[in-house]
Amino acid sequence: MDYALIVDGMKSLVEGLKTNTWPDTFVTGLLGFSEQKAAKLPEYLFYYMVLYGIAAVISLIMHFTKKQKCFSDFGRKMMDFICTVLMVMCGWLLPQFIAQAKLLTSAVEGEFSFTEEGFHWLSEYLQAGFDPIWLGALFLFIAIMPLLTARRYLKEYKILGIFWAIYDVGFGFFCICTAGLAMAGQSYLWYLAIAAAVVLIRIGQTGGVDLE
């Protein structure tokens, strides 16, 4: 694993957030985006923000006309936000861990069989590939709460649950997209979009929320 690249990439991201400049080392180095894909990334981030806005408007219309309720209070919303950020962080590191595991497992000699040598090989193979396994398990554990919320929206609100899931569970991704666009455009004004989203969230929570 290229630990130096991970450190440099994360430093680039932190510095980008502090100075509101595009974290090129993080995007093209750590994430492995080509120059062409990196140039298109802000456009895709903007598309998601537009999608989030549409989903929020549709959800609020259903909130007031169909009396549909949000399934998250402010505390649950913040937990989903934290989980989303952690999931994205795991997503950044997972390719690095997988590459490391492929390199280490390829060096394990032998093959599996129902013998002592076969189980010994299996033990060494799993140890060599342990990093992406535990990181993947951590990713799934972190994702459980947001996924369960999204599943409940789909179960109770059917097709309209898609918009509610984006509006409610997708708030963390919205914040990440906003930060990306702020760094790409070198303008802190983009962060006003987060304030607007919070207002929309509070409107959706009027009349109480429907917690499980």
Side-chain angles (χ1 to χ4, degrees):
M1 181 181 297
D2 193 342
Y3 290 104
L5 177 59
I6 293 176
V7 172
D8 289 342
M10 295 307 296
K11 283 183 177 179
S12 171
L13 177 61
V14 172
E15 186 65 22
L17 290 170
K18 288 169 55 179
T19 61
N20 210 34
T21 54
W22 185 248
D24 189 63
T25 302
F26 172 76
V27 175
T28 59
L30 183 57
L31 296 186
F33 280 67
S34 65
E35 292 292 339
Q36 294 77 11
K37 290 182 179 179
K40 294 285 288 184
L41 184 58
E43 182 178 341
Y44 295 130
L45 298 180
F46 179 73
Y47 288 157
Y48 179 81
M49 291 182 67
V50 172
L51 175 63
Y52 182 88
I54 294 172
V57 170
I58 293 175
S59 299
L60 291 177
I61 290 173
M62 293 301 102
H63 174 63
F64 289 108
T65 61
K66 301 292 186 181
K67 305 303 179 184
Q68 292 180 351
K69 287 190 175 183
C70 181
F71 295 157
S72 301
D73 58 8
F74 184 76
R76 179 67 177 265
K77 179 76 67 177
M78 289 302 99
M79 285 300 300
D80 284 344
F81 172 78
I82 293 171
C83 288
T84 300
V85 173
L86 292 176
M87 280 193 297
V88 173
M89 290 180 67
C90 289
W92 297 339
L93 296 176
L94 195 55
Q96 296 284 333
F97 278 72
I98 291 175
Q100 178 197 38
K102 286 181 178 179
L103 179 64
L104 294 177
T105 54
S106 65
V108 180
E109 298 181 352
E111 60 182 15
F112 176 72
S113 62
F114 289 97
T115 62
E116 182 178 350
E117 291 78 10
F119 282 105
H120 178 70
W121 172 88
L122 180 61
S123 175
E124 290 189 348
Y125 187 87
L126 291 176
Q127 289 180 49
F130 180 73
D131 284 346
I133 293 175
W134 75 257
L135 186 63
L138 178 62
F139 183 91
L140 292 176
F141 177 78
I142 294 170
I144 285 176
M145 182 179 291
L147 288 177
L148 287 178
T149 303
R151 176 179 175 273
R152 187 182 173 205
Y153 278 121
L154 295 174
K155 181 179 179 181
E156 298 197 18
Y157 295 156
K158 309 304 179 187
I159 189 68
L160 292 174
I162 296 175
F163 300 109
W164 274 100
I166 296 173
Y167 163 57
D168 187 5
V169 183
F171 173 68
F173 289 111
F174 179 86
C175 293
I176 292 170
C177 290
T178 302
L181 286 171
M183 290 185 288
Q186 297 184 359
S187 173
Y188 288 106
L189 291 176
W190 279 102
Y191 287 105
L192 292 175
I194 296 179
V198 171
V199 172
L200 293 176
I201 288 169
R202 296 301 297 172
I203 293 174
Q205 293 174 345
T206 55
V209 299
D210 186 9
L211 295 175
E212 286 185 305

